Amino acid sequence: MSESTAPTTTPTAGGKVYRIGTRSSRLAMIQTNIVRDALVALNPTATFEITSMKTMGDKDKVTALHSFGAKSLWTLELEALLLEKEVDLIVHSLKDMPTQLPPGCIIGSILEREDPRDALIMKAGSPHKSLDDLPPGSVIGTSSVRRGAQILKRYPHLKLENARGNVDTRLRKLDDPESPYSCIILAAAGLIRMGLQDRITAYLSSPTLLHAVGQGAIGVEIRSEDPEVSELVKPLTHVPTYLCALSERQLMRTLEGGCSVPIGVETKFLVDDGEKGNRIHMKASVSSVDGTQSVEIEDVLALDDEESGLKLSVTRAEDVGRLMAARMLEQGAGNILNTILRSKDTGPQAAKVAEKETEVEEAMRKLVEKQEASEQ
Ligand SMILES: NCc1[nH]cc(CCC(=O)O)c1CC(=O)O
């Protein structure tokens, strides 16, 4: 979306068939139905068909997430369908969308955020309710280096074990009496949308755990050269979520992080109170994988452009992320990130994953070339 201000919401005329692409996990389908229901309400004469598929990240449930390079493991095959015009829009968990999208793809809308916090779920029947009351040596199941690094910083007496798979799979692994896990950490948003909020024993937020960039938000990806679908999805955008998410994504883009780098954020939209204008309150952290080193930062920055008088500026939102990232790099975040990137898993599994990503990215590059040739 290229607006210099946050999008307005005007219903779009319907009467056509639109195809929505999505992953096939239960959570992805729930999120896709949220988007479809909102589109149907705004365009009652239009038809919306859903195309679901398993992506690289869904198929390979074994490789640890940090072994995957780019964050494209949840999105690339769907973006190929988008560029091939097999689908007209894709519904993603925003946190799974790389901060750099393939040429020809843009974010068309970001819906109102569900609770962005992380949530603690104890093994069924556990007497424990919080991280504080877990005995030393208790095992926390998470595949997220972001979650693991921050937890180890505050709870060095606890242990981490990988726990991959979709939400249902991870809960099943947790409750298996044979599994080593005392608890797992998941996004509250996924649990709430799946009707599993009763499993949450504690919510985790700053200073213990800053959530992932884009966590809790639903992103709708479209083709950059598709004004009709751009107008179709624009009314779904929730402006405070949109601007906060853009600032978070720009922070990660500037730090050149990805899903396998421990970057945590918390943002809050502060509405114009007649004196201070619209602002974003951002907290952000970068941690070493073992939690022994971290850079943490917090500030409240303006969203209205004083020079031009523009309110709710998209550019200002991204400037917030860029400025906060620059400050973190000045405070040593770059050294932490470089150490992590140098230590990326170079084992045979990582090589296999890199080969698969290259294969899919090569297919994507050919698609983009074909599309550009057809438009000349
Ligand atoms: N690929 C993991 C993923 N992507 C989106 C969600 C939950 C929904 C959200 O945060 O928006 C999850 C599960 C989790 O982190 O617990």
Side-chain angles (χ1 to χ4, degrees):
M1 189 174 290
S2 56
E3 274 81 0
S4 57
T5 61
T8 54
T9 55
T10 46
T12 307
K16 274 194 66 177
V17 177
Y18 297 97
R19 297 150 303 167
I20 306 176
T22 176
R23 289 173 51 205
S24 50
S25 72
R26 189 156 74 95
L27 174 59
M29 292 304 290
I30 289 170
Q31 295 179 163
T32 298
N33 282 305
I34 290 170
V35 171
R36 181 175 60 179
D37 293 350
L39 288 171
V40 167
L42 288 167
N43 307 277
T45 62
T47 303
F48 297 90
E49 295 170 354
I50 294 176
T51 300
S52 63
M53 69 180 296
K54 284 192 184 303
T55 61
M56 201 187 330
D58 296 302
K59 292 169 199 160
D60 182 338
K61 296 188 190 307
V62 176
T63 306
L65 288 179
H66 64 75
S67 296
F68 288 92
K71 192 171 176 177
S72 53
L73 62 156
W74 307 112
T75 59
L76 215 48
E77 293 101 320
L78 284 165
E79 288 161 334
L81 290 183
L82 184 64
L83 291 171
E84 284 173 312
K85 300 187 179 177
E86 295 294 324
V87 297
D88 301 300
L89 56 144
I90 308 171
V91 175
H92 299 285
S93 292
L94 186 65
K95 73 180 271 191
D96 292 337
M97 293 182 74
T99 53
Q100 298 288 6
L101 301 183
C105 298
I106 58 170
I107 291 178
S109 179
I110 299 176
L111 280 72
E112 182 169 7
R113 200 167 209 163
E114 185 43 88
D115 189 331
R117 292 175 294 178
D118 287 294
L120 183 67
I121 303 99
M122 291 292 174
K123 192 187 274 291
S126 167
H128 304 299
K129 296 295 178 201
S130 73
L131 291 172
D132 291 328
D133 63 10
L134 281 175
S138 298
V139 175
I140 302 173
T142 179
S143 297
S144 162
V145 284
R146 169 190 60 84
R147 290 168 176 153
Q150 295 181 75
I151 295 298
L152 285 183
K153 173 175 177 150
R154 286 173 175 77
Y155 300 91
H157 57 284
L158 301 180
K159 294 188 181 306
L160 301 174
E161 286 251 356
N162 242 345
R164 281 220 54 207
N166 61 38
V167 174
D168 290 318
T169 303
R170 282 187 261 181
L171 287 171
R172 195 168 50 250
K173 287 177 181 176
L174 168 66
D175 292 339
D176 177 353
E178 299 303 312
S179 79
Y181 311 118
S182 299
C183 60
I184 60 174
I185 298 176
L186 292 171
L191 294 162
I192 293 167
R193 290 187 184 124
M194 293 171 75
L196 295 168
Q197 56 270 44
D198 293 349
R199 289 300 307 265
I200 298 175
T201 57
Y203 286 89
L204 302 170
S205 56
S206 64
T208 303
L209 183 54
L210 295 185
H211 61 71
V213 164
Q215 186 157 299
I218 293 173
V220 179
E221 188 174 14
I222 62 174
R223 288 183 291 275
S224 49
E225 303 307 319
D226 192 338
E228 178 190 344
V229 173
S230 173
E231 287 306 307
L232 179 80
V233 302
K234 196 185 293 183
L236 304 187
T237 287
H238 180 254
V239 171
T241 300
Y242 181 73
L243 296 174
C244 285
L246 290 186
S247 70
E248 292 171 22
R249 288 172 61 80
Q250 185 58 52
L251 173 96
M252 179 174 264
R253 197 177 291 123
T254 305
L255 291 171
E256 294 178 347
C259 74
S260 60
V261 173
I263 296 174
V265 289
E266 257 179 30
T267 53
K268 188 171 181 212
F269 179 82
L270 302 176
V271 71
D272 183 350
D273 59 5
E275 284 177 32
K276 297 184 190 129
N278 299 299
R279 291 146 290 146
I280 287 185
H281 180 184
M282 177 181 270
K283 297 177 185 177
S285 71
V286 169
S287 317
S288 57
V289 174
D290 63 2
T292 55
Q293 296 173 296
S294 67
V295 170
E296 300 167 2
I297 189 170
E298 177 176 2
D299 204 349
V300 177
L301 294 168
L303 270 177
D304 302 332
D305 192 307
E306 286 173 9
E307 280 177 35
S308 63
L310 213 47
K311 295 276 186 187
L312 300 173
S313 158
V314 165
T315 305
R316 284 290 307 148
E318 295 188 329
D319 286 347
V320 167
R322 198 174 283 114
L323 176 64
M324 295 290 272
R327 289 182 190 169
M328 296 177 83
L329 291 169
E330 284 165 10
Q331 294 177 30
N335 300 333
I336 296 174
L337 293 168
N338 290 336
T339 303
I340 293 171
L341 296 177
R342 272 199 304 274
S343 67
K344 291 298 285 166
D345 179 356
T346 54
Q349 215 163 28
K352 184 186 70 160
V353 166
E355 185 186 330
K356 174 65 184 162
E357 280 183 332
T358 305
E359 178 193 312
V360 179
E361 281 161 358
E362 180 57 17
M364 175 67 82
R365 188 184 60 72
K366 287 179 178 156
L367 259 178
V368 171
E369 280 177 359
K370 191 171 79 172
Q371 185 192 19
E372 285 165 351
S374 68
E375 285 162 359
Q376 281 164 3

